[in-house]
Amino acid sequence: MKFGIVVNEGPYTHQASDSALQFARAALAKGHEIVRVFFYNDGVNNGTRLTVPPQDDRNLQKSWSELAAKHGLDLVVCIAAAQRRGVLDAGEAKRHGKDADNIAPGFRISGLGQLVEAAILADRMVTFGD
Amino acid sequence: MSTLHTVNKSPFERAALISALGHVRPGDALLMIEDAVVGARKRTAFAAVVEAAAKICALFVLAPDLAARGMAEKDLIEGIKTVDYGGFVDLAAKHRRVQSWL
Amino acid sequence: MAEVEAPKLPSGVRKKLMFVNRKAPHGTIYALEALEVVLISAAFEQEVCLAFLDDGVFQLVKGQNTQAIGTKNFAPTYRALGDYEITRLYVERESLAERGLATADLMPIVHEDPDDADEEKPSIQVVGRAEMATLMAEQDVLLSF
């Protein structure tokens, strides 16, 4: 079965990203396909590579990046939500005259249409948020 | 054509659980995750509403979230079943759609 | 508003999409960012509708003025939904009543009558809780923020 996952909150403050990650791992373990993980609202903050959580805590960004590399997941960060919150790739940083980018490996920035498209392509959409 | 409803907030903090229970239909399932596991406890101020809903649809609670909050199956309202993340995936696949009560 | 990339979908796929709004506007960004997805969804030629229940009904209250709190007032955007061919806004009657609201407290939101371009039809339909549950159970996808 094809799953689409939406993550509406950033890492650490809310459990949403942890829950979504556990759900994604379990779905993949059962042989399901994940058509896309879409990060929206504060969820875009999962996609910055500049987080430095304490050694004894989990690293959510790294976990997502590794899961994406292992399973070829499409991790999409909403461009409009990301621009509001300062999550940029090299192209966006240049376009807006910013001196740095911070997008994490395995994540890509794209439009909200990617969320609607995932909702159309997936058999089930599961949303994690506040 | 049934629905899996998910709720992630305690009924003491948000209206989501009570609202979701007001919209469930026969054949649906409702899964309490994260802080919503509080709503599955026996003898809470909301227990009567949850018990009444259990007669309409199947109620589940995510076991890892229950354990994280120091609760176990013995604390749950009778009839509420526990699932792990794999069981969550199975419920999502079994029902026609998933409605997240954010 | 974000740009719309061309939908890359198998032709003829038409799903029933419902955006579920349960949160009050302005205190958090959820109502605004939900509305942004709704507008984008119009480009995909799906069967889109919106549900307003619980505190979500406050999103449609008329006379919203955010000037003194310094945030963007996106309330007028709901009135433009008809131009995007989004013509079904279901509002839950019990949610209104529980909050001391009546239909008259909501913004007038209309769309062009497909049978008569000179006529306008109301987009808001106030429905009871049981009917709202039935409408939700008819959808292919429910999105909440």
Side-chain angles (χ1 to χ4, degrees):
Chain A
M1 181 161 277
K2 292 177 182 174
F3 281 97
I5 296 174
V6 187
V7 182
N8 284 333
E9 296 300 333
Y12 307 111
T13 302
H14 297 270
Q15 202 188 334
S17 181
D18 292 280
S19 296
L21 188 64
Q22 301 285 6
F23 182 90
R25 284 177 178 149
L28 292 165
K30 284 181 172 282
H32 294 295
E33 183 189 340
I34 294 173
V35 295
R36 185 166 294 149
V37 184
F38 192 85
F39 296 87
Y40 194 41
N41 300 127
D42 279 357
V44 298
N45 292 319
N46 288 286
T48 168
R49 65 171 185 271
L50 300 183
T51 58
V52 189
Q55 289 279 330
D56 62 350
D57 200 355
R58 79 273 189 220
N59 186 325
L60 281 163
Q61 172 267 308
K62 203 158 160 263
S63 298
W64 280 114
S65 292
E66 285 171 0
L67 196 69
K70 191 174 170 194
H71 297 277
L73 292 189
D74 188 22
L75 307 182
V76 178
V77 172
C78 168
I79 187 165
Q83 285 176 345
R84 276 195 180 108
R85 295 163 177 90
V87 177
L88 302 170
D89 60 16
E92 285 301 304
K94 192 171 176 223
R95 197 154 74 90
H96 297 282
K98 300 293 181 184
D99 60 3
D101 67 81
N102 57 349
I103 192 85
F107 288 80
R108 67 184 178 96
I109 293 180
S110 189
L112 262 178
Q114 297 278 308
L115 169 57
V116 182
E117 187 188 75
I120 297 165
L121 294 175
D123 299 310
R124 302 284 185 276
M125 286 298 277
V126 188
T127 307
F128 296 89
D130 181 24
Chain B
M1 289 297 280
S2 58
T3 303
L4 169 66
H5 303 265
T6 65
V7 178
N8 74 328
K9 285 288 184 282
S10 159
F12 293 95
E13 195 209 334
R14 297 273 180 93
L17 179 63
I18 300 308
S19 187
L21 291 174
H23 293 83
V24 292
R25 291 154 54 93
D28 285 358
L30 184 143
L31 171 64
M32 291 166 257
I33 69 168
E34 301 176 3
D35 288 347
V37 299
V38 168
R41 278 184 75 90
K42 282 181 207 169
R43 295 188 297 271
T44 71
F46 296 95
V49 186
V50 179
E51 283 161 9
K55 294 188 175 77
I56 301 169
C57 76
L59 300 180
F60 297 89
V61 62
L62 196 62
D65 279 324
L66 199 63
R69 288 153 181 87
M71 287 187 262
E73 287 195 39
K74 65 173 173 50
D75 301 311
L76 302 180
I77 288 166
E78 206 172 323
I80 297 184
K81 298 186 189 74
T82 60
V83 291
D84 59 10
Y85 288 102
F88 182 177
V89 172
D90 291 342
L91 284 171
K94 180 186 169 189
H95 295 277
R96 175 65 190 79
R97 65 191 73 73
V98 182
Q99 181 166 7
S100 309
W101 287 79
L102 300 180
Chain C
M1 221 45 79
E3 74 287 353
V4 184
E5 62 271 50
K8 303 176 289 287
L9 291 166
S11 60
V13 176
R14 206 170 161 84
K15 282 197 170 181
K16 291 182 177 169
L17 276 169
M18 177 184 266
F19 292 93
V20 181
N21 300 284
R22 294 187 48 254
K23 291 172 181 168
H26 313 308
T28 56
I29 199 168
Y30 302 108
L32 169 59
E33 290 197 329
L35 192 54
E36 291 185 347
V37 187
V38 169
L39 295 174
I40 297 290
S41 74
F44 286 78
E45 296 185 344
Q46 305 294 304
E47 291 182 37
V48 175
C49 69
L50 279 67
F52 297 87
L53 60 154
D54 298 333
D55 279 351
V57 298
F58 285 111
Q59 295 178 26
L60 299 180
V61 166
K62 61 182 168 194
Q64 295 177 49
N65 180 353
T66 62
Q67 208 175 350
I69 64 169
T71 63
K72 180 175 167 180
N73 188 6
F74 53 92
T77 310
Y78 295 102
R79 303 185 66 175
L81 288 174
D83 299 336
Y84 290 80
E85 292 179 23
I86 294 166
T87 58
R88 290 177 298 138
L89 279 65
Y90 299 108
V91 178
E92 188 172 276
R93 182 175 295 117
E94 289 86 343
S95 295
L96 288 174
E98 285 161 6
R99 287 158 183 79
L101 291 169
T103 311
D105 296 312
L106 306 180
M107 294 183 274
I109 302 176
V110 296
H111 59 275
E112 194 179 280
D113 185 339
D115 301 322
D116 183 352
D118 295 330
E119 290 296 317
E120 287 182 330
K121 295 174 80 169
S123 298
I124 290 179
Q125 298 177 48
V126 178
V127 299
R129 187 161 285 158
E131 193 183 347
M132 183 63 91
T134 303
L135 287 163
M136 288 170 166
E138 289 169 357
Q139 305 303 314
D140 292 309
V141 185
L142 296 133
L143 288 171
S144 310
F145 300 98

